Amino acid sequence: MKKLFYFATVLFIVCQGAFAQGDHQYMVIEFIKVASTQMVDYSENKSFMEKIYSEAIKQGDVEGWDLWSLQSGPDQGEFQYVTITYYDDPVKMMNGMTDNNFVNYAKRAFSSEMSDQQIEMSVENAVANRDLAMRAYMVMVARTKDNFEMKPGVLASFDLMKAAEGRFNEYEHVETDLYLPFHQKKIEAGMMGSWMFLRTAVPMGSAADYTHMTLNFYDDYLQFFNSMEYEDMEASEEQLTAMEEGLNSRDQKWVYMATLLKAIR
C-alpha cells in the first residue's frame, strides 16, 4: 500500500509541474469498441461527430480532433477506433466533452437543420452505438520538430508503456534525451513523419496498466517498414548501449497500428 501511495504521489507531483508550465498540449485518447451490429451506424455518425467537434473548436474549448481506424493490436476485436481530442489546458481536458457539451455544440451546429428534440436524439444515438472501452488523459512531454501533415490516410502506431516502479525519471530521460534525437534523425532522413512522447496526466498508482505513450506517425506503410530498417550511423557505442539499457526501465504493454480517417483543427 505504501508503494502504491508513493508512486501515485510522485506521479501527481510530476504532472502538477507539467500543468504549471502552461506550454504543454493535453490529449484525451479514447479507444472505442463498436459491436458488429452497430458498425454501419457508427460509420454514418462520423460526419455528425466531426461537425460537433468543429463547433467545439470554434468555441475555443478544443484545439483539434482525430478519428483513427485500428488495423492491428494485441486483440483486434477489442477496439475498432481511436479518437484523440486536443486541448491547450488541463482543466478543459478534465471537464471534457460531457453529454451536455455534446448537445450544446450539436445545437449550434445543426439548429438550422433539426429541432432541439431531433438533435438530442441524434446525440443520444451517436453515443449509444459505441463503447468507450478505454480513455487515457495524457500530457505531451516531448515531440520532434517537423512539418508532418495530419491528413486522412496517414499511419500511426500507439505504443503504450509502463515505467518500471522506481525508474520513472530514468525512463523519461531515455525517451527525451536518447530516443527523441534518434527519431529526429529518422524524420530528417525521410524515414518517419513525426513522434510524440506522452505521460498520463492524472495519478494512476503502481497497479496501472500503462504510464506513458509514444505516438509514431508515418506517411504510409512503405515509410513505416523502411523506418524499421533505419540505423543511426553517427551514434556512439555508448549511446547505443544506453538506449538498449534504457529499454529495461519500461515495459512495452501494447502496440496498436491505426490509419487516420478524419482530422479537424
Side-chain angles (χ1 to χ4, degrees):
M1 179 63 72
K2 286 183 178 179
K3 283 186 177 181
L4 177 62
F5 175 77
Y6 174 76
F7 185 84
T9 303
V10 170
L11 185 56
F12 179 74
I13 292 171
V14 170
C15 293
Q16 283 291 94
F19 292 167
Q21 292 178 28
D23 58 353
H24 288 265
Q25 187 167 60
Y26 303 88
M27 305 178 193
V28 177
I29 302 177
E30 298 175 326
F31 291 80
I32 297 169
K33 182 176 182 178
V34 181
S36 58
T37 56
Q38 295 176 317
M39 289 297 287
V40 174
D41 289 338
Y42 186 80
S43 180
E44 291 176 349
N45 280 331
K46 291 173 188 173
S47 296
F48 181 74
M49 298 294 284
E50 183 179 8
K51 289 183 179 179
I52 289 178
Y53 278 98
S54 294
E55 193 61 41
I57 292 170
K58 287 180 186 177
Q59 299 301 316
D61 298 329
V62 170
E63 285 199 315
W65 180 75
D66 298 342
L67 174 63
W68 299 80
S69 173
L70 279 170
Q71 294 180 293
S72 68
D75 181 355
Q76 231 172 320
E78 188 175 8
F79 312 121
Q80 289 80 35
Y81 297 96
V82 179
T83 63
I84 305 178
T85 309
Y86 300 86
Y87 297 88
D88 61 1
D89 179 272
V91 176
K92 290 179 182 177
M93 176 184 69
M94 297 310 298
N95 286 335
M97 296 290 285
T98 63
D99 290 347
N100 285 337
N101 285 342
F102 263 105
V103 171
N104 290 334
Y105 295 133
K107 286 180 178 178
R108 292 191 182 103
F110 297 101
S111 59
S112 63
E113 304 171 34
M114 295 186 280
S115 67
D116 284 357
Q117 185 177 6
Q118 288 174 318
I119 291 171
E120 290 172 7
M121 284 294 297
S122 296
V123 170
E124 186 177 331
N125 291 336
V127 173
N129 67 17
R130 63 174 188 163
D131 175 14
L132 266 182
M134 184 169 72
R135 175 183 286 149
Y137 295 92
M138 311 298 292
V139 56
M140 186 190 300
V141 179
R143 67 168 302 161
T144 52
K145 295 179 181 178
D146 56 74
N147 297 311
F148 187 70
E149 183 182 355
M150 287 291 186
K151 58 184 180 181
V154 301
L155 183 70
S157 70
F158 294 73
D159 299 9
L160 279 65
M161 316 289 194
K162 181 173 181 177
E165 189 169 353
R167 305 182 70 179
F168 193 96
N169 290 336
E170 179 185 348
Y171 168 58
E172 292 205 346
H173 160 71
V174 170
E175 291 286 6
T176 57
D177 295 343
L178 298 177
Y179 276 97
L180 172 57
F182 175 74
H183 291 304
Q184 188 68 51
K185 290 182 179 180
K186 289 174 73 172
I187 290 169
E188 292 166 1
M191 298 288 187
M192 192 178 197
S194 185
W195 177 87
M196 298 179 187
F197 177 50
L198 317 176
R199 78 162 72 97
T200 54
V202 292
M204 297 178 71
S206 60
D209 289 331
Y210 61 91
T211 59
H212 297 78
M213 286 189 200
T214 60
L215 304 185
N216 310 272
F217 301 98
Y218 307 91
D219 290 329
D220 47 38
Y221 271 109
L222 178 60
Q223 189 180 56
F224 168 72
F225 286 116
N226 286 338
S227 177
M228 299 299 101
E229 304 297 323
Y230 177 80
E231 293 183 15
D232 186 358
M233 305 304 292
E234 299 177 0
S236 66
E237 196 67 37
E238 290 78 10
Q239 287 175 318
L240 293 174
T241 300
M243 290 171 71
E244 188 66 30
E245 291 178 350
L247 297 180
N248 296 324
S249 63
R250 60 94 171 118
D251 178 17
Q252 189 172 28
K253 303 295 290 185
W254 306 288
V255 176
Y256 295 94
M257 301 296 299
T259 300
L260 184 62
L261 299 178
K262 292 182 180 292
I264 56 174
R265 298 289 185 270

